[in-house]
């Protein structure tokens, strides 16, 4: 297992000795490299720890909106309220969680790990209740709003310390990039697993045969009411059977995903050791949260990266949340959506190693433009919505989604290192960077989802109906075509001005190593 935080002092002292003088520079470099090295097992355990959030996030991203509309049977306006408020609340909790983590003390298992372990049981329970249909209709919107907000908040408690943990695995940028690549590969696999479990289990709740049984039915709630009043019409009893079946299969999927949370978190706990980073001068003081927040918000590279990816993340969220609805109500692909979702995610999984090679070979900034690949194919799908085009779009979307997942988490440590070099006295601000980044991206996703659902409300989406109005189909085409394309283009234009090139990144790493491993470090006090 790796060293505890205090051991880093012995490293810095050891590398400065050698028969009364400094070690030969070549030997010193080899010793430093050995200390930074992460085992494949450690990287894999770290990566597995992030899978549950992606499994649950994938399931909710692709299926929560259609679940709320067609299974829970709340209106598009209420669905908009649940999705937007839940996402925004999750974003608000990010800096709050960052504040408390920033004030946390080191324990025997680290400063971040206790938060991850402590929230997991509650996170699992909140996820299960999110997919449970309560036996009442009037207050269902409050039920789903409560548990979606709770789920989003607990996801933040899990995700902020987990993502920040990247900075405390190793001081070597290549090792951190490698660990991030492992993490993204497993997280995309988790996204695939979430979509596969959810899609294959719940597909029977959305098959077109459901509507064939009663073409005149526009709303399942009305049918359910008639059956409850004692109607003996067998054609009306079928929608109720489908309704109960849909509720059951969604709960089965939720139970499986809940178990993934517990299993993967246990692997993370037993397989990863959290290490402190002696990048700063010796000081036991940690900068206060709000002072640190103001300082981080003035850091140009961070603002550039955040602004770009809050737009790109909103675009990807719109694609995911409306894709199943588009296949069902705008493209006559309702019987194929689960396989199309799997194709997207398999493509994403297979392309992560390619993107990792690409960013190492050509630089991270160049790799960001791979995200733009989804734009022409998404436009092609909304103009020619047939099955062959849909699978082609699924493959290219997977490539772009993989790039959009890998790159921000690979670039963010470089931004933090750049800040560390400019502010060596500002220790302990890593959680602020990560929590604020997640806050802004979730906020943008929440606003995008709210506008998306409201658009369906205004265009006449009928909850549970087999046939939607023409304007709903047009709106869905815009939501997965024109809007994401515009957001991605603006985000990429912002990234053109991202200032950390590969040369700058290497210079920062070298300069920080000089601070980490210099023979003597004088204590200082924060001003």
């Amino acid at each position: 297992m790796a060293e505890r935080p205090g051991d880093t002092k012995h490293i810095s002292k050891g590398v400065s000795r050698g028969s009364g003088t400094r070690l030969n520079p070549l030997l010193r470099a080899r010793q430093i490299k050995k200390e930074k090295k992460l085992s494949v097992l450690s990287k894999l355990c770290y990566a597995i720890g992030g899978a549950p959030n992606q499994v649950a996030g994938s399931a909710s991203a692709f299926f929560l909106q259609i679940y709320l509309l067609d299974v829970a049977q709340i209106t598009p306006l209420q669905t908009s309220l649940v999705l937007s408020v839940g996402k925004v609340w999750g974003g608000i909790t990010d800096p709050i969680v960052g504040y408390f983590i920033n004030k946390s003390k080191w324990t025997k298992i680290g400063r971040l790990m206790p938060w991850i372990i402590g929230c997991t049981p509650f996170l699992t329970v909140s996820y299960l209740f999110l997919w449970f249909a309560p036996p009442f209709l009037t207050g269902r919107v409050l039920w789903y709003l409560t548990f979606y907000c709770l789920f989003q908040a607990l996801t933040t408690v899990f995700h902020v310390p987990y993502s920040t943990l990247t900075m405390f695995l190793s001081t070597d940028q290549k090792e951190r990039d490698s660990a991030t690549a492992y993490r993204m590969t497993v997280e995309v696999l988790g996204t695939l697993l979430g979509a596969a479990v959810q899609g294959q289990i719940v597909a029977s709740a959305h098959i077109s045969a459901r509507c064939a049984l009663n073409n005149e039915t526009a709303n399942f709630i009305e049918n359910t009411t008639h059956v409850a009043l004692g109607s003996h019409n067998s054609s009306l009893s079928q929608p109720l059977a489908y309704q109960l079946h849909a509720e059951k299969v969604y709960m089965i999927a939720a139970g499986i995903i809940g178990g993934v949370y517990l299993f993967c978190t246990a692997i993370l706990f037993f397989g990863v050791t959290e290490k402190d980073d002696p990048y700063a001068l010796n000081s036991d003081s940690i900068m206060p949260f709000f002072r640190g927040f103001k300082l981080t918000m003035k850091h140009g590279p961070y603002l550039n990266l955040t602004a770009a990816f809050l737009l790109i993340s909103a675009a990807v969220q719109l694609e995911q949340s409306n894709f199943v609805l588009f296949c069902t109500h705008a493209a006559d692909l309702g019987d194929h959506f689960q396989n199309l979702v799997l194709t997207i995610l398999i493509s994403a999984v297979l392309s992560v190693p390619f993107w990792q090679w690409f960013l190492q070979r050509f630089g991270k900034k160049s790799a960001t433009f791979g995200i733009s690949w989804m734009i022409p194919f998404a436009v092609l799908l909304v103009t020619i919505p047939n099955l062959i085009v849909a699978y082609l779009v699924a493959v290219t979307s997977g490539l772009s989604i993989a790039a959009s997942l890998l790159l921000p988490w690979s670039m963010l440590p470089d931004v933090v290192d750049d800040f560390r070099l400019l502010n060596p006295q500002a220790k302990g601000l890593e959680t602020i960077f990560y929590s604020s980044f997640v806050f802004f991206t979730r906020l943008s996703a929440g606003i995008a989802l709210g506008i998306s659902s409201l658009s369906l409300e205004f265009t006449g989406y009928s909850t549970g109906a087999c046939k939607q109005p023409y304007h709903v189909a047009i709106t869905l085409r815009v939501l997965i075509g024109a809007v994401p394309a515009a957001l991605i283009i603006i985000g990429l234009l912002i990234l053109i001005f991202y200032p950390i090139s590969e040369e700058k990144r290497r210079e920062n790493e070298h300069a920080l190593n000089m601070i980490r491993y210099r023979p003597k470090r004088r204590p200082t006090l924060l001003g």
Side-chain angles (χ1 to χ4, degrees):
M1 299 294 283
E3 299 84 359
R4 290 295 178 188
D7 295 337
T8 55
K9 296 180 180 179
H10 300 296
I11 295 171
S12 61
K13 290 179 181 179
V15 296
S16 65
R17 296 174 185 167
S19 302
T21 61
R22 294 187 185 181
L23 289 175
N24 178 282
L26 182 59
L27 294 177
R28 182 184 177 193
R30 288 177 179 174
Q31 183 171 352
I32 291 172
K33 184 176 181 180
K34 183 178 179 181
E35 297 292 348
K36 296 177 180 179
K37 192 72 174 177
L38 283 173
S39 68
V40 172
L41 181 61
S42 294
K43 295 175 187 177
L44 189 58
C45 290
Y46 170 66
I48 290 173
N53 261 357
Q54 299 306 312
V55 172
S58 172
S60 58
F62 281 107
F63 295 97
L64 184 57
Q65 183 167 243
I66 197 170
Y67 168 81
L68 294 175
L69 290 170
D70 288 354
V71 180
Q73 296 186 350
I74 63 177
T75 68
L77 180 61
Q78 293 171 336
T79 299
S80 171
L81 179 68
V82 171
L83 295 177
S84 58
V85 172
K87 281 286 186 181
V88 171
W89 175 246
I92 291 173
T93 57
D94 280 298
I96 296 174
V97 171
Y99 170 78
F100 285 107
I101 293 177
N102 189 60
K103 296 176 72 68
S104 299
K105 302 297 183 182
W106 275 93
T107 67
K108 292 182 179 180
I109 60 173
R111 186 161 66 99
L112 304 172
M113 194 68 75
W115 290 87
I116 299 172
I117 302 302
C119 77
T120 298
F122 303 100
L123 179 55
T124 302
V125 172
S126 68
Y127 183 78
L128 292 174
F129 280 115
L130 177 61
W131 300 94
F132 175 73
F136 49 82
L137 295 176
T138 304
R140 279 193 176 185
V141 62
L142 293 178
W143 173 277
Y144 291 110
L145 180 61
T146 298
F147 283 104
Y148 192 51
C149 286
L150 184 60
F151 171 69
Q152 288 293 327
L154 290 170
T155 298
T156 296
V157 179
F158 185 100
H159 186 261
V160 170
Y162 172 77
S163 58
T164 308
L165 190 59
T166 307
M167 302 301 302
F168 299 95
L169 297 175
S170 173
T171 58
D172 186 277
Q173 290 185 355
K174 289 185 178 179
E175 288 298 305
R176 290 197 310 241
D177 286 346
S178 177
T180 300
Y182 273 79
R183 170 190 162 190
M184 288 300 109
T185 302
V186 174
E187 285 190 355
V188 175
L189 281 170
T191 304
L192 173 61
L193 176 63
V197 169
Q198 194 84 5
Q200 297 300 323
I201 292 177
V202 308
S204 59
H206 301 290
I207 58 175
S208 57
R210 178 198 66 180
C211 294
L213 291 170
N214 191 350
N215 291 328
E216 295 80 21
T217 300
N219 192 301
F220 291 150
I221 298 178
E222 294 178 2
N223 293 335
T224 304
T225 303
H226 289 314
V227 175
L229 291 175
S231 172
H232 297 288
N233 190 329
S234 61
S235 67
L236 291 178
S237 66
Q238 293 297 336
L240 175 61
Y242 269 105
Q243 176 71 17
L244 295 175
H245 171 73
E247 294 174 0
K248 178 181 177 181
V249 294
Y250 268 98
M251 278 304 299
I252 291 173
I256 294 173
I257 293 174
V260 172
Y261 261 109
L262 301 176
F263 177 73
C264 293
T265 303
I267 291 178
L268 175 70
F269 174 69
F270 290 109
V272 175
T273 299
E274 186 180 342
K275 297 178 286 185
D276 200 3
D277 184 353
Y279 72 91
L281 304 177
N282 270 343
S283 174
D284 292 330
S285 300
I286 294 178
M287 183 174 287
F289 179 85
F290 292 106
R291 182 181 167 190
F293 180 78
K294 291 179 181 178
L295 197 59
T296 58
M297 290 299 105
K298 295 178 182 178
H299 192 54
Y302 182 64
L303 294 178
N304 183 286
L305 185 70
T306 302
F309 276 99
L310 70 85
L311 295 173
I312 293 170
S313 298
V316 173
Q317 186 71 58
L318 280 174
E319 288 274 354
Q320 290 180 324
S321 62
N322 289 289
F323 185 77
V324 176
L325 283 170
F326 172 81
C327 291
T328 304
H329 298 301
D332 197 25
L333 298 171
D335 291 336
H336 302 278
F337 74 82
Q338 70 273 23
N339 295 325
L340 290 169
V341 169
L342 285 178
T343 302
I344 292 173
L345 298 173
I346 290 173
S347 173
V349 171
L350 296 177
S351 61
V352 168
F354 164 76
W355 286 120
Q356 178 64 15
W357 168 83
F358 189 95
L359 65 86
Q360 290 179 343
R361 178 67 177 83
F362 300 102
K364 299 175 184 179
K365 189 173 178 179
S366 300
T368 57
F369 290 90
I371 299 169
S372 64
W373 290 1
M374 75 166 62
I375 295 175
F377 292 98
V379 174
L380 182 63
L381 177 62
V382 300
T383 54
I384 311 175
N386 64 52
L387 190 58
I388 296 176
V389 172
Y391 276 104
L392 180 62
V393 171
V395 173
T396 54
S397 295
L399 290 170
S400 297
I401 289 172
S404 70
L405 289 174
L406 174 64
L407 288 167
W409 299 112
S410 181
M411 298 167 78
L412 192 54
D414 300 337
V415 171
V416 176
D417 278 349
D418 187 71
F419 177 85
R420 284 172 164 182
L421 188 61
L422 296 175
N423 304 272
Q425 81 289 355
K427 189 174 183 179
L429 303 186
E430 296 83 10
T431 53
I432 298 178
F433 277 99
Y434 280 82
S435 62
S436 299
F437 181 81
V438 176
F439 164 70
F440 288 118
T441 53
R442 283 195 181 187
L443 182 64
S444 67
I447 294 172
L449 286 176
I451 294 173
S452 170
S453 296
L454 282 176
S455 300
L456 296 176
E457 172 80 14
F458 293 146
T459 53
Y461 187 94
S462 179
T463 300
C466 297
K467 184 74 173 178
Q468 297 294 341
Y470 172 75
H471 292 296
V472 170
I474 296 297
T475 301
L476 288 170
R477 289 189 175 96
V478 172
L479 289 174
I480 74 161
V483 176
L487 292 174
I488 290 172
I489 290 171
I490 297 172
L492 293 178
L493 289 175
I494 294 173
L495 276 177
I496 291 176
F497 302 98
Y498 178 70
I500 302 179
S501 62
E502 287 303 297
E503 181 180 358
K504 176 67 172 176
R505 183 184 65 81
R506 287 189 292 267
E507 290 175 357
N508 288 347
E509 181 179 28
H510 177 73
L512 283 171
N513 281 337
M514 294 300 99
I515 295 176
R516 289 178 176 120
Y517 300 104
R518 58 186 167 192
K520 294 181 180 179
R521 295 180 292 164
R522 299 189 305 274
T524 187
L525 296 176
L526 295 177

